[in-house]
Amino acid sequence: VYKRQIHDYACGIDSSPVAQRDPVNKGYGNSTTLSRDVDDFETACQVILSLSETVGARLRADKVQCDCICVEIKDQDFRVQSHQMTLNSPTDSTTVIYENACRLLYDFWDRRPLRLIGVRATKISDDSFSQMSLFESEQSKKMKEMEKAVDQIRSKFGTDIIKRASFLQKDAIVDHASGKAKHLKNKEE
């Protein structure tokens, strides 16, 4: 019996079932075509916050983290630009994604009016093993717990059940839950 088993293994023959493992996504992203051109940094960052929320929630839902953030923009002349940065440590935090995406946008955007904004998280890794930071603050731990709690509440009661205060403005340019541009009334009306 053992000779046969050794022979089969040597020839690559094995009758045990192969366990299939779902591949990890290569990246998570969201983008939106805006209902009106955006030419100020604050509004662009509000759009990035909405997109970062959906990207972060998807990372946490799949229990993965990203090492790289990418921002893509398309201006009114349909020119596409993108820039990316590698993070110091993997993350699934909406706040970290948002802050780094805004920093990227600030660095490379020439302030031409934008038609499209996108945020992507790449270099994905499983979050079961991650390097602990000796300098992680109590505030960042609380932020992670809060983001997970918000994800659970939204999955149970719907995405519009919890909104950030910045999305409650009547002129908000994006629907925070879907990351899609809203059609706005003209401010002069």
Side-chain angles (χ1 to χ4, degrees):
V1 173
Y2 291 113
K3 283 184 178 183
R4 177 76 177 157
Q5 188 176 19
I6 291 172
H7 174 268
D8 288 350
Y9 285 160
C11 293
I13 301 169
D14 188 4
S15 60
S16 61
V18 176
Q20 186 175 5
R21 184 174 172 199
D22 292 333
V24 175
N25 288 338
K26 291 183 179 183
Y28 292 78
N30 196 6
S31 64
T32 186
T33 301
L34 305 165
S35 59
R36 61 181 164 88
D37 289 348
V38 170
D39 58 2
D40 64 291
F41 185 71
E42 291 77 25
T43 304
C45 283
Q46 185 179 18
V47 174
I48 286 176
L49 177 57
S50 174
L51 299 171
S52 297
E53 278 193 334
T54 57
V55 171
R58 290 174 57 208
L59 288 168
R60 290 186 295 276
D62 286 355
K63 295 179 177 33
V64 294
Q65 295 182 337
C66 68
D67 263 330
C68 185
I69 304 295
C70 178
V71 174
E72 178 182 12
I73 58 174
K74 185 183 292 186
D75 67 21
Q76 65 184 3
D77 297 324
F78 298 101
R79 283 183 294 224
V80 178
Q81 291 180 311
S82 66
H83 276 64
Q84 64 185 20
M85 70 184 300
T86 301
L87 303 174
N88 292 333
S89 60
T91 190
D92 60 4
S93 169
T94 296
T95 304
V96 173
I97 294 168
Y98 165 70
E99 289 171 353
N100 285 294
C102 286
R103 189 173 302 124
L104 273 172
L105 182 69
Y106 183 81
D107 288 345
F108 82 93
W109 181 31
D110 61 6
R111 303 306 186 262
R112 289 184 183 158
L114 300 177
R115 292 272 169 98
L116 177 136
I117 300 175
V119 174
R120 280 194 319 267
T122 59
K123 295 186 181 176
I124 304 300
S125 60
D126 189 355
D127 77 350
S128 57
F129 301 103
S130 62
Q131 180 70 38
M132 292 177 57
S133 171
L134 296 174
F135 306 106
E136 184 175 30
S137 68
E138 190 65 31
Q139 182 180 0
S140 68
K141 289 179 186 177
K142 287 181 180 180
M143 184 64 69
K144 286 180 183 180
E145 291 173 15
M146 185 271 306
E147 288 176 344
K148 288 179 182 178
V150 167
D151 290 344
Q152 290 173 345
I153 293 168
R154 284 182 175 161
S155 70
K156 186 172 183 176
F157 298 106
T159 53
D160 286 335
I161 198 71
I162 295 178
K163 294 183 181 183
R164 291 183 184 255
S166 62
F167 295 133
L168 296 177
Q169 300 170 1
K170 69 176 186 167
D171 286 6
I173 194 161
V174 293
D175 175 7
H176 84 284
S178 66
K180 296 193 175 163
K182 285 184 175 180
H183 295 284
L184 304 174
K185 292 183 178 179
N186 189 342
K187 287 185 178 182
E188 297 169 0
E189 293 179 351

